[in-house]
Every structure is written in C-alpha cells, then in structure tokens.
Amino acid sequence: FQEDFSMKKIAFLMLTLSFFLVFTLPVQAKTSIHVSANNAVLMEAKTGRVIYEKNPHEKRPIASITKVMTAILAIEYGDLDDEVTVSKEATMTIGSSIYLQEGEKMSLEDLLYGLMLRSGNDAAIAIAEHIAGSVEGFVFLMNQKASYLGMTNTSFANPHGLDEDNHYSTAYDIAILMRHAMENETFQKISEAKSYQ
C-alpha cells in the first residue's frame, strides 16, 4: 500500500508540474505572415510597437494615402461647418474627382467626405486652399506636421498624392500617420463611412 501510494504521489506531482509548464510558460509559436506588397508595417495602435515589417523605411510614392494627412490637417485646423468656395484651380485638378464647379460653395465636412470616400483630388485642392490660403502653404503645413509626428522619411509636395518630385513616404511613416489619425474621432467617423450624401 505504501509503495502504491508513493507512485501515485509521484505521478500526481509530475502531472501537476506538466500542467504548470503548459499553462504558465510563454508559448512561442512561429507565425508566418505573407504580404504581397513590397512594403508593409503592422503597428500596435496604443503603443506604436511594430509587430510586423517588410522594407519599412524604403521611400516610395504614396498616391492617395496622402489624403490621410490632408484630412487630418483639415480637421485639426478647420471647422467642419466652414463654407468653402471652390476655385478654378481646384476644378482643373486631374484624376479622381467629385466634380466640383468653380464658385460652388460647400461645407468643409462635405469636402472631407468627398476627399475620403471618392478620393477627390479636386476636394483636396479646395481643402488646401481653404485651410492655408494656397496649395503651397498647405504643403508647408503637411511637412511641418510630418516632422512633428516623427515621419523622418516623408516629403509632401501636394495634398492629393498625384506623382510629383519630392512626394514620398515609407510604410513605417504612414503607420505613424495612421496611428495619429485614428486617435481623432472625426477622422474615424469619416474614414469608416460606407456612403455619404
């Protein structure tokens, strides 16, 4: 009986130890992430910790991702109820459009939805001119904001993202920008919208 009891006791201790090891030691699972893009960063929103990266600091054209910076500056510097008068320059902008007409008046909020939902290049110019008085002045604000956020490998040359010299960023810098933008409730609301009239 004594020998049997000791064996049971040892078996119980071993079982307990196994349970302890399984449920208390950190699990190190190999995670394979496949991203077809040449450049990518997965960043934790709360801490800024990089979870995954692929060529994170390579400078690349960023196209309409530019509009994230345009939107956040419009929200931070403007009032959504502001009335914006559309210039001839805005209506002549090439590429995707919300078909603004010269002299048309529209709220900044409406333009922001046109910017983000339809990727309106004309909306981007109208917003830039309204916020800073000129496209050049707005681009200055864009680069100032990028520097403030720590986007060290970014240069903006326009508010819409059409290809231009000195208009580029990196996956890492865009992750920084998106992390900042998503802290803004107005930006969240606009970027999450599926439709807007």
Side-chain angles (χ1 to χ4, degrees):
F1 175 81
Q2 186 65 37
E3 186 179 337
D4 186 43
F5 175 79
S6 296
M7 290 301 291
K8 284 182 180 177
K9 191 173 181 182
I10 291 168
F12 176 77
L13 287 172
M14 288 179 68
L15 182 63
T16 304
L17 181 60
S18 298
F19 182 88
F20 178 78
L21 289 173
V22 168
F23 289 96
T24 61
L25 292 180
V27 178
Q28 295 189 359
K30 288 188 176 181
T31 306
S32 177
I33 299 176
H34 175 72
V35 177
S36 60
N38 291 324
N39 311 83
V41 166
L42 177 61
M43 182 179 285
E44 190 174 53
K46 286 187 179 180
T47 66
R49 181 175 67 96
V50 174
I51 298 166
Y52 172 82
E53 61 182 28
K54 180 180 177 183
N55 303 319
H57 303 294
E58 183 182 355
K59 296 175 183 176
R60 305 278 295 180
I62 51 172
S64 284
I65 295 172
T66 301
K67 294 179 173 88
V68 173
M69 179 63 90
T70 300
I72 202 65
L73 285 177
I75 292 164
E76 292 178 354
Y77 283 89
D79 185 317
L80 296 184
D81 294 325
D82 283 353
E83 186 178 73
V84 180
T85 303
V86 177
S87 70
K88 182 178 181 180
E89 289 72 21
T91 65
M92 294 174 65
T93 310
I94 62 171
S96 55
S97 173
I98 60 170
Y99 307 104
L100 295 172
Q101 301 296 315
E102 182 180 356
E104 182 178 1
K105 296 183 188 302
M106 188 177 290
S107 73
L108 182 59
E109 182 177 24
D110 288 347
L111 285 172
L112 280 166
Y113 277 97
L115 177 80
M116 297 300 290
L117 267 68
R118 290 292 302 268
S119 194
N121 293 339
D122 51 354
I125 296 295
I127 289 168
E129 291 174 337
H130 175 74
I131 296 295
S134 67
V135 170
E136 293 75 20
F138 192 79
V139 167
F140 174 80
L141 292 179
M142 295 174 84
N143 286 308
Q144 191 176 51
K145 183 72 171 184
S147 178
Y148 171 77
L149 292 174
M151 299 168 65
T152 56
N153 290 307
T154 296
S155 174
F156 291 106
N158 62 60
H160 41 60
L162 292 173
D163 283 349
E164 196 169 335
D165 290 342
N166 296 318
H167 192 89
Y168 57 80
S169 190
T170 67
Y172 180 78
D173 282 5
I174 293 301
I176 291 173
L177 175 60
M178 285 304 301
R179 182 179 174 223
H180 172 74
M182 291 305 289
E183 290 174 350
N184 185 290
E185 290 182 7
T186 302
F187 181 86
Q188 282 185 37
K189 179 185 170 188
I190 292 171
S191 64
E192 290 170 1
K194 291 183 172 60
S195 64
Y196 183 78
Q197 186 168 346

